[in-house]
């Protein structure tokens, strides 16, 4: 089932539950019925991600140390999804999150990142990837930290099969010497990361 999500204004979401998105796609099972879906021309703001009840804790009473709110969250085998021409800001974790995706295209988006502008990867890194992230504008305008993320990053990547080309990166408040590209647990500058 191809889905088309377009021309939406989404504000102040995930205030009661973590690990979700202002726009969220998910494909349970082993085949992707999301193939060919398009998320475009949306504005997604203030995806909070409540710390209580986060799936990271597996408890509705234990408070997580991190908010897991994502602006656009393509989750669990939602393959071949196109995410383009969206504006995303003030998401508590990542503006765009590709989790266990293959063949997705993320392009021409503008993302103001908090912890991360874009986060990508999955538990089984060998079977996911071939995602293209291109022609986006990523902005870091925060200098906040938490115990999991010592400083904001443009990318948080934990798989090698992603391609990023022709993206623009603007670092507003973070020190220029800070490693603002993260691969697994390494924080690198642009020349090392690429």
């Amino acid at each position: 089932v191809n889905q088309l999500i377009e021309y939406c204004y989404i504000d102040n979401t995930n205030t009661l539950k973590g690990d979700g998105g202002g726009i969220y796609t998910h494909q349970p099972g082993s085949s992707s019925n999301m193939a060919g879906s398009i998320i475009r021309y949306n504005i997604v703001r203030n995806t909070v991600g409540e710390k209580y009840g986060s799936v990271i804790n597996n408890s509705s009473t234990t408070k997580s140390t991190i908010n897991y709110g994502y602006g656009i969250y393509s989750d669990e085998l939602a393959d071949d999804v196109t995410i383009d021409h969206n504006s995303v800001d003030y998401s508590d974790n990542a503006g765009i999150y590709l989790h266990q995706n293959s063949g997705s295209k993320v392009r021409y988006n503008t993302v103001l990142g908090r912890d991360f502008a874009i986060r990508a990867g999955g538990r089984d890194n060998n079977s996911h990837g071939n995602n293209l992230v291109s022609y986006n504008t990523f902005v870091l305008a925060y200098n906040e930290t938490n115990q999991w993320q010592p400083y904001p990053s443009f990318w948080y990547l934990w798989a090698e099969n992603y391609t990023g080309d022709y993206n623009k990166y603007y670092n507003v408040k973070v020190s220029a010497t800070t490693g603002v590209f993260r691969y697994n647990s390494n924080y690198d500058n642009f020349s090392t990361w690429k």
Side-chain angles (χ1 to χ4, degrees):
V1 177
N2 292 359
Q3 303 294 319
L4 176 62
I5 303 169
E6 64 180 356
Y7 300 109
C8 298
Y9 179 81
I10 300 167
D11 191 7
N12 202 30
T13 66
N14 298 85
T15 58
L16 299 176
K17 183 76 173 102
D19 194 28
I23 296 175
Y24 180 85
T25 62
H26 178 261
Q27 175 56 49
S30 60
S31 65
S32 179
N33 291 329
M34 295 299 298
S37 294
I38 299 171
I39 301 168
R40 66 182 179 199
Y41 304 117
N42 300 289
I43 298 172
V44 183
R45 309 192 70 214
N46 302 308
T47 307
V48 179
E50 174 54 46
K51 293 179 182 179
Y52 286 100
S54 170
V55 296
I56 305 304
N57 296 332
N58 296 319
S59 169
S60 61
T61 58
T62 304
K63 188 174 183 179
S64 172
T65 57
I66 306 156
N67 290 351
Y68 289 95
Y70 309 101
I72 298 174
Y73 188 175
S74 185
D75 195 10
E76 305 284 344
L77 306 174
D79 297 335
D80 301 312
V81 175
T82 298
I83 301 170
D84 67 5
H85 293 92
N86 299 284
S87 295
V88 182
D89 65 0
Y90 302 107
S91 298
D92 269 350
N93 192 273
I96 297 174
Y97 185 16
L98 301 178
H99 184 233
Q100 298 189 24
N101 290 184
S102 294
S104 292
K105 295 173 194 71
V106 178
R107 56 191 183 194
Y108 304 108
N109 299 285
T110 301
V111 179
L112 174 65
R114 187 176 187 113
D115 284 353
F116 314 105
I118 186 166
R119 184 175 176 186
R123 293 182 198 101
D124 180 5
N125 295 328
N126 296 326
S127 63
H128 305 289
N130 299 320
N131 296 294
L132 177 62
V133 179
S134 59
Y135 299 101
N136 300 284
T137 300
F138 297 127
V139 179
L140 292 181
Y142 300 98
N143 199 14
E144 300 175 12
T145 63
N146 58 52
Q147 67 185 34
W148 183 66
Q149 177 65 15
Y151 33 78
S153 299
F154 289 113
W155 282 72
Y156 174 22
L157 188 61
W158 72 95
E160 295 181 1
N161 43 11
Y162 286 79
T163 301
D165 281 329
Y166 305 104
N167 297 297
K168 294 180 183 176
Y169 302 98
Y170 297 96
N171 191 345
V172 177
K173 292 197 175 187
V174 181
S175 167
T177 60
T178 303
V180 292
F181 292 88
R182 181 175 177 185
Y183 178 70
N184 289 324
S185 60
N186 299 322
Y187 292 88
D188 298 317
N189 60 30
F190 181 71
S191 62
T192 304
W193 177 80
K194 68 177 181 174

